[in-house]
Structures are given as structure tokens and as C-alpha cells.
């Protein structure tokens, strides 16, 4: 059945691409001549700005309200740009400083463009010390927000992403990037937003939006050390080298979904690698290598290893040796966890780990993309407040895995990343 579906999706792809492109161009035509509407705007006085790209209908999600209140408490000017419409926009007065609604075309980068052009028109970039661009494609956890916003907005790093991504090429997740004044005022940065062409076609937005934005930001910073992520892979790897509790947490909370092909770190992989690297089988006594003798039978049985100490004890027992080098074993575990962390989109791949280390949000499409399993969601839920866990669960399950629940051309479009 799997191969039949793959063949069917392949056959439907050209039509799916045509439909998605046509829908985008139809929406472009429908929104021609329509301008963003500024519902209200408070005076700006040179404070840091949070540009929040929204896709909210009727009312704001509770987690977004908590985010905005936290930002306001830290003296941040909130500029909200919504692609949909709220029932009572005026109710946001006192919560949002400037609220704009725009035609529904261009996805989140359309809202970012509206926000940045508004900022440039007002010439706020001349006095703004720092700007944080965020969108609502993530669910925000309140207790982690104050420190996170402080870390992002008080840093001297010119471009500070929340997380990074090594898919296709290294770039920052565009759902959360803090930008310093030297970049805000840079002519290349301004030119990028003025020339950005809106589209609803997802791969095009990724290519000319997220990926190209990172390229432009790299050209605008004064040095490569000024383009980094707060929760970077290097920070994580350094942390698990010395923090055994974090290492054990990462071992116990590896992503479990098998749908997406990104690497999932496993102590089984470590055990097999350690055996292959250091063990000498009895039937090959002439082998000259560091190691210990082991029997040739299948000795790595199914067993639950929940932390580093359990792995060490198990290997020591199975290999029947007293001189297992704990340093070598530790390095293998660090490498296995590090490679797993680096694989794919880090914010999706490492949701539990990032929450544990302080990142205050979870990607809303984790279940829809097949990256989260329900087991993963349950683990994530234990790391946030019960009321937030209920909100997050409702948000995630409202978009179940597209590869299972979509049909026809939509399924083909989903499998190809078009939607």
C-alpha cells in the first residue's frame, strides 16, 4: 500500500503543483489594490519592538495574549500584523501598541513585509535599538517567556535566532529572530523587504523568505559571530558534555514518531558502535585492537536503557569486562545525541529538550507534519502548565498528520511540501 500511495502521489504531483500555484495567483488577483488597515497606533518612543505576524480569526489565542503581556511588561513596543480579522480589534488597545490587518495573501512573510515597511515608513529603524520578529506558528509557554525575551532583547548579538536549521543550508528559523539596530538600518535589509514578492506557495516562501532572509542577514552583520542562535546545536552539545541530568533527560525524551525520516538518537546505536569499535570476538582472537573478548552470540537483547549509567552497566555486564572506558562511552553518547539534535528542523526535532533548556514555544504543525507522535505530545505536555497543555493539545490535534488524513491532490501536495 505504501508503494501504491507513493506512485499515486508522484502521478498527481504535476496537477497538485498547478492547483497550488493557481490558487496563489488567484489570491494575488483578489487582493490587488487592497491595502493594509491600521486600526490604531500609539506613539513610538525609541523602545525595542516586537513585530508579531498573526493569522488569527475572531480573537487572539490565549498563549499569544500571554506573550504580548510579557513583552509589554518588559517595555517592548508591540506591532501586530494580522492576515485575518478580529471581531473587536479595538479590544486590543492597551495590549498591542500598533495593530494592522492586511489582505490574506503571502503567508507570514507577507505580514513581516507589511510590518517592516510600516516601520521604515515611520523611520523607526533610526531609533529602534532592537527588534524581535515572531509569528504565531508556535505555541508559547508563559513561565519561560520572561527570561527568553530578556535573553533575546538584551543581547549584543546583531542577529540572534531562537533556533537554527541545517536543512538545505544553515539558516535561522524565521518564526523568531532578534535583530540589532545596525542590521535594521542596513540598506540591504531594507532592500530585501521592499523587493520581497508575496506568494502563498510554501516552497517559494521557504526559498525566497526564510532561506534568503538568512542570507541577507549574514551579509548585513559585521562578523559571522554576529549571526547565531540562542539555542544552538553547539550550546546543546557543550551542555550535555558536562550536565549528566540533561544528558539523561535527552536520552529519555528523544522524538518517537517514526513517520519523518530524521535521525532519532538511540542508546542502541551507541551500544552497537561501542561493541563494533572495541570488542574482539572469540573466533577472531588474532585481531589486534583495543577491546575485550566477547562471545559471538547475539548479546544485545531488547532491554530498556533509560540513562547513561544504565547503558554503562549493561555494556560492562554484556562484554564481561571491568575496564570499560567510561570516557569513550561518554563521547559516543554525546556524539549520538548531538547528531540527533542537528538533524532536520531543530525546533521540531528537539521539542522536549528545547523546552527543558528554556525555549518557551512548541511548533504548531508538529503533528500535521508527522514529526510528533501522540507520545511526543504527551511528553511535551508534562513540561508545561496543565491549562497550557490542554490548549496545546487542542491546537495540535486540530491538524492531524496530513499524509494520513488528506486525500487526492491535497495529499500529493502535502507529500511534496507544497502545503
Amino acid at each position: 500500500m505504501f508503494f501504491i500511495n507513493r506512485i499515486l502521489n508522484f502521478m498527481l504531483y504535476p496537477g497538485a503543483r498547478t492547483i497550488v500555484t493557481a490558487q496563489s495567483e488567484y489570491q494575488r488577483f483578489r487582493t490587488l489594490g487592497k491595502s493594509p488597515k491600521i486600526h490604531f497606533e500609539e506613539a513610538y518612543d525609541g523602545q525595542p519592538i516586537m513585530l508579531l505576524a498573526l493569522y488569527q480569526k475572531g480573537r487572539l489565542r490565549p498563549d499569544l495574549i500571554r506573550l504580548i503581556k510579557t513583552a509589554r511588561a518588559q517595555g517592548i513596543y508591540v506591532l501586530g500584523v494580522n492576515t485575518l480579522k478580529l471581531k473587536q480589534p479595538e479590544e486590543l488597545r492597551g495590549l498591542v501598541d500598533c495593530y494592522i490587518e492586511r489582505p490574506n495573501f503571502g503567508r507570514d512573510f507577507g505580514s513581516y513585509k507589511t510590518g517592516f515597511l510600516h516601520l521604515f515608513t515611520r523611520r523607526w529603524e533610526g531609533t529602534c535599538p532592537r527588534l524581535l520578529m515572531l509569528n504565531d506558528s508556535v505555541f508559547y509557554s508563559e513561565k519561560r517567556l520572561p527570561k527568553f525575551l530578556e535573553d533575546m532583547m538584551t543581547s549584543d548579538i546583531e542577529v540572534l535566532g531562537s533556533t537554527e536549521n541545517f536543512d538545505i543550508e544553515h539558516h535561522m528559523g524565521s518564526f523568531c529572530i532578534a535583530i540589532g539596530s545596525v542590521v535594521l538600518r542596513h540598506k540591504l535589509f531594507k532592500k530585501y523587504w521592499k523587493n520581497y514578492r508575496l506568494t502563498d506557495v510554501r516552497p517559494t516562501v521557504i526559498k525566497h523568505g526564510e532561506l534568503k532572509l538568512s542570507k541577507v542577514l549574514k551579509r548585513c552583520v559585521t562578523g559571522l559571530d554576529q549571526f547565531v542562535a540562542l539555542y544552538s546545536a553547539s550550546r546543546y552539545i557543550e551542555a550535555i558534555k558536562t550536565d549528566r541530568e540533561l544528558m539523561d533527560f535527552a536520552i529519555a525524551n528523544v522524538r518517537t514518531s517514526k513517520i519523518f525520516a530524521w535521525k532519532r538518537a538511540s542508546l542502541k546505536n551507541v551500544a552497537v558502535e561501542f561493541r563494533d569499535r572495541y570488542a574482539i570476538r572469540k573466533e577472531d582472537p588474532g585481531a589486534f585492537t583495543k577491546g575485550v573478548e566477547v562471545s559471538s552470540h547475539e548479546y544485545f537483547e531488547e532491554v530498556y536503557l533509560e540513562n547513561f549509567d544504565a547503558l554503562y552497566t549493561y555494556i560492562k555486564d554484556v562484554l564481561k569486562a571491568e575496564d570499560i572506558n567510561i570516557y569513550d562511552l561518554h563521547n559516543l553518547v554525546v556524539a549520538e545525541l548531538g547528531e540527533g539534535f542537528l538533524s532536520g528542523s531543530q525546533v521540531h526535532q528537539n521539542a522536549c529538550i528545547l523546552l527543558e533548556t528554556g525555549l518557551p514555544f512548541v511548533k504548531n504543525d508538529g503533528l500535521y507534519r508527522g514529526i510528533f507522535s501522540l507520545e511526543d505530545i504527551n511528553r511535551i505536555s508534562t513540561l508545561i502548565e496543565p491549562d497550557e497543555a490542554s490548549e496545546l493539545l487542542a491546537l495540535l490535534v486540530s491538524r492531524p498528520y496530513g499524509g494520513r488524513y488528506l486525500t487526492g491532490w491535497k495529499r500529493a501536495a502535502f507529500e511534496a511540501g507544497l502545503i
Side-chain angles (χ1 to χ4, degrees):
M1 189 65 180
F2 172 78
F3 292 105
I4 293 175
N5 286 333
R6 291 295 298 270
I7 293 172
L8 182 60
N9 289 336
F10 178 79
M11 294 174 62
L12 289 174
Y13 172 77
R17 179 81 194 200
T18 300
I19 291 171
V20 170
T21 302
Q23 287 179 337
S24 177
E25 292 308 306
Y26 174 69
Q27 197 64 8
R28 184 191 305 278
F29 176 77
R30 286 190 65 218
T31 57
L32 278 177
K34 296 182 179 179
S35 300
K37 179 180 179 180
I38 303 172
H39 282 270
F40 54 83
E41 180 180 0
E42 303 297 334
Y44 175 68
D45 195 27
Q47 60 267 60
I49 295 174
M50 182 172 77
L51 169 54
L52 183 58
L54 299 165
Y55 189 77
Q56 299 293 302
K57 183 177 180 180
R59 66 178 69 178
L60 291 185
R61 292 195 324 246
D63 66 297
L64 296 172
I65 294 175
R66 295 190 290 265
L67 164 69
I68 294 169
K69 286 182 176 179
T70 304
R72 292 272 301 201
Q74 295 189 12
I76 298 173
Y77 186 97
V78 179
L79 168 57
V81 182
N82 194 1
T83 304
L84 300 179
K85 294 183 178 181
L86 301 181
K87 289 182 179 179
Q88 301 291 335
E90 289 296 318
E91 291 182 354
L92 291 184
R93 281 189 181 272
L95 183 66
V96 175
D97 293 286
C98 179
Y99 178 67
I100 302 172
E101 289 181 346
R102 70 176 191 87
N104 184 7
F105 178 61
R107 302 171 73 102
D108 58 338
F109 266 76
S111 293
Y112 285 145
K113 177 171 182 175
T114 295
F116 277 113
L117 292 186
H118 183 83
L119 181 146
F120 297 148
T121 299
R122 299 291 193 270
R123 297 188 176 180
W124 292 349
E125 78 278 10
T127 55
C128 177
R130 197 166 184 81
L131 180 143
L132 179 64
M133 52 184 287
L134 294 169
N135 67 36
D136 60 1
S137 69
V138 297
F139 177 89
Y140 296 90
S141 172
E142 184 175 16
K143 71 178 182 180
R144 296 167 175 82
L145 278 170
K147 184 177 187 309
F148 175 76
L149 290 179
E150 183 178 353
D151 288 344
M152 296 293 287
M153 297 303 276
T154 61
S155 173
D156 292 327
I157 301 295
E158 293 166 6
V159 173
L160 183 63
S162 58
T163 62
E164 56 196 342
N165 191 323
F166 289 90
D167 259 3
I168 305 177
E169 59 189 42
H170 180 246
H171 61 279
M172 297 299 167
S174 58
F175 45 82
C176 182
I177 303 176
I179 302 168
S181 58
V182 66
V183 176
L184 285 176
R185 296 194 297 266
H186 202 290
K187 62 180 182 180
L188 290 178
F189 184 71
K190 293 182 180 181
K191 181 180 178 181
Y192 169 79
W193 287 112
K194 289 176 181 177
N195 293 341
Y196 178 78
R197 177 177 168 79
L198 271 59
T199 179
D200 278 342
V201 180
R202 182 171 177 264
T204 306
V205 175
I206 292 173
K207 180 179 179 180
H208 296 291
E210 187 161 89
L211 294 177
K212 188 172 181 180
L213 174 62
S214 277
K215 290 180 181 178
V216 170
L217 291 172
K218 286 179 182 178
R219 294 178 65 189
C220 293
V221 296
T222 57
L224 291 180
D225 61 341
Q226 296 297 306
F227 181 87
V228 297
L230 181 62
Y231 290 91
S232 64
S234 60
R235 172 179 171 174
Y236 169 70
I237 294 169
E238 287 294 331
I240 59 174
K241 284 181 181 178
T242 57
D243 188 338
R244 182 63 63 79
E245 287 187 9
L246 179 59
M247 173 182 281
D248 287 344
F249 178 89
I251 290 168
N253 289 277
V254 169
R255 181 177 65 87
T256 65
S257 172
K258 297 180 180 179
I259 296 173
F260 226 77
W262 294 337
K263 176 181 173 63
R264 294 183 299 146
S266 165
L267 288 189
K268 178 181 178 181
N269 294 340
V270 176
V272 171
E273 175 65 20
F274 193 89
R275 177 200 66 188
D276 292 346
R277 185 178 298 187
Y278 297 119
I280 305 172
R281 296 186 183 278
K282 282 187 176 180
E283 68 268 24
D284 188 20
F288 183 77
T289 183
K290 176 184 176 183
V292 295
E293 283 193 356
V294 296
S295 62
S296 60
H297 66 79
E298 190 65 34
Y299 45 78
F300 283 109
E301 304 163 346
E302 291 187 13
V303 63
Y304 181 61
L305 301 174
E306 61 180 351
N307 55 45
F308 180 85
D309 288 341
L311 173 68
Y312 175 73
T313 301
Y314 183 64
I315 290 182
K316 188 175 179 181
D317 178 63
V318 167
L319 297 183
K320 296 179 175 59
E322 297 298 326
D323 62 344
I324 297 296
N325 190 320
I326 194 170
Y327 177 78
D328 289 341
L329 184 61
H330 182 270
N331 278 348
L332 286 177
V333 174
V334 170
E336 176 72 8
L337 292 174
E339 288 169 5
F341 189 91
L342 282 165
S343 181
S345 167
Q346 291 174 13
V347 71
H348 289 95
Q349 173 82 330
N350 310 289
C352 284
I353 295 167
L354 289 169
L355 276 171
E356 177 68 11
T357 53
L359 189 72
F361 51 72
V362 179
K363 261 293 191 175
N364 296 341
D365 64 351
L367 188 63
Y368 177 67
R369 298 289 168 198
I371 303 168
F372 296 167
S373 66
L374 288 177
E375 181 182 352
D376 294 323
I377 295 172
N378 288 336
R379 288 180 175 180
I380 291 168
S381 296
T382 65
L383 301 174
I384 59 180
E385 297 300 316
D387 58 337
E388 292 182 346
S390 296
E391 293 172 17
L392 176 60
L393 178 62
L395 188 63
L396 290 173
V397 299
S398 68
R399 299 178 71 198
Y401 176 48
R404 180 178 300 144
Y405 293 99
L406 295 176
T407 59
W409 73 265
K410 287 187 177 180
R411 186 168 186 170
F414 171 84
E415 295 289 355
L418 295 173
I419 59 175

